[in-house]
């Protein structure tokens, strides 16, 4: 196994420059100005740099829209939900690292103790919700996916009940498009062309518009 080349890791200054570039180029006029950081968070954590998540959080809470405790707690719920959804895309360790680092720099009065999935059940209603969201994204491609997974039932089960049922079909904190931004950022940074193509099409199917050149 090759040793990690720490000399080539990005610096905090380079991470801040990335945050600024994403915000500047993100099509906020059509998609909203509170979504760029979801894509940014998904990309840095999915790409293996969870240590920059608290840097992004600290930059966000400096802004006037997060000047009250309530606003910062609402932001925390959105950050946490982004990281929770990323578990289904990149595994638990990197999002967990990010949430530990963010919690370490969060003021006690800004902490949010809500529990979004309290009472969740892996039941038929959960499966239907997961499959409904999956079908909305994949549309006519869903049949081909189901055909493959008919002989890979463990993956069919985890896809419908857990990936989509537990994680991605819950839009109580992040809406449908914000969920897809999280998924797309987490997938693209891993250089996964098949799944990237699926979710690029998925974002169009739920109503996003392609970014306009300036």
């Amino acid at each position: 196994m090759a040793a990690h080349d720490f000399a080539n890791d990005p610096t905090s200054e380079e991470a801040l420059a990335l945050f600024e570039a994403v915000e500047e180029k993100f099509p906020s006029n059509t998609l909203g100005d509170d979504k760029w950081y979801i894509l940014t968070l998904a990309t840095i954590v999915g790409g293996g740099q969870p240590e920059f998540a608290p840097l992004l959080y600290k930059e966000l809470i400096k802004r006037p829209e997060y000047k009250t405790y309530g606003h910062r707690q609402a932001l925390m719920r959105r950050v946490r939900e982004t990281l929770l959804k990323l578990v289904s895309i990149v595994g638990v360790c990197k999002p967990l690292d990010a949430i530990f680092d963010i919690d370490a720099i969060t003021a006690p009065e800004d902490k949010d103790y809500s529990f979004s999935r309290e009472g969740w059940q892996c039941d038929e209603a959960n499966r239907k919700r997961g499959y409904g969201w999956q079908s909305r994204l994949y549309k006519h491609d869903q049949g081909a996916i189901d055909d493959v997974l008919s002989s890979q039932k463990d993956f069919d089960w985890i896809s419908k009940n857990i990936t989509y049922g537990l994680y991605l079909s819950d839009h109580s904190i992040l809406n449908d498009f914000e969920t897809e931004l999280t998924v797309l950022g987490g997938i693209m940074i891993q250089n996964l062309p098949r799944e990237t193509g699926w979710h690029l099409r998925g974002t169009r199917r739920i109503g996003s518009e392609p970014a306009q050149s300036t």
Side-chain angles (χ1 to χ4, degrees), residues 163-212:
T163 305
Y164 284 87
L166 172 60
Y167 292 107
L168 302 183
S169 66
D170 187 316
H171 301 150
S172 60
I173 298 173
L174 298 184
N175 65 28
D176 52 2
F177 184 71
E178 291 165 342
T179 294
E180 270 301 279
L181 277 183
T182 302
V183 171
L184 192 57
I187 287 174
M188 290 179 70
I189 197 66
Q190 297 180 81
N191 192 27
L192 298 168
R194 186 204 323 259
E195 290 82 0
T196 296
W198 287 346
H199 286 276
L200 281 171
R201 291 192 294 273
T203 59
R204 297 296 305 279
R205 286 165 176 162
I206 62 172
S208 75
E209 295 295 333
Q212 299 297 315

Side-chain angles (χ1 to χ4, degrees), residues 8-123:
N8 291 326
D9 280 353
T11 64
S12 295
E13 290 74 19
E14 289 170 330
L16 285 171
L18 171 65
F19 302 163
E20 291 173 2
V22 173
E23 183 176 15
E24 180 182 347
K25 296 179 183 299
F26 192 82
S28 298
N29 288 340
T30 55
L31 299 180
D33 59 10
D34 61 345
K35 295 179 176 58
W36 69 272
Y37 66 80
I38 293 173
L39 179 63
T40 304
L41 184 60
T43 303
I44 60 175
V45 174
Q49 299 291 342
E51 66 271 20
F52 290 130
L55 182 62
L56 176 62
Y57 175 75
K58 285 193 289 187
E59 288 301 305
L60 288 171
I61 61 174
K62 291 177 184 177
R63 300 178 177 219
E65 58 264 41
Y66 303 116
K67 65 182 179 180
T68 70
Y69 301 146
H71 288 136
R72 290 193 293 273
Q73 288 167 350
L75 173 65
M76 178 59 72
R77 286 192 291 276
R78 287 169 61 79
V79 166
R80 183 173 61 222
E81 182 68 12
T82 301
L83 293 171
L84 185 65
K85 289 182 186 298
L86 272 181
V87 169
S88 66
I89 305 302
V90 304
V92 71
C93 292
K94 289 183 279 191
L96 187 62
D97 252 10
I99 208 67
F100 268 91
D101 289 344
I102 290 171
D103 191 76
I105 55 93
T106 302
E109 63 271 19
D110 292 343
K111 294 193 176 187
D112 174 76
Y113 292 93
S114 63
F115 179 16
S116 64
R117 284 164 177 77
E118 186 173 12
W120 175 81
Q121 296 289 322
C122 188
D123 54 17

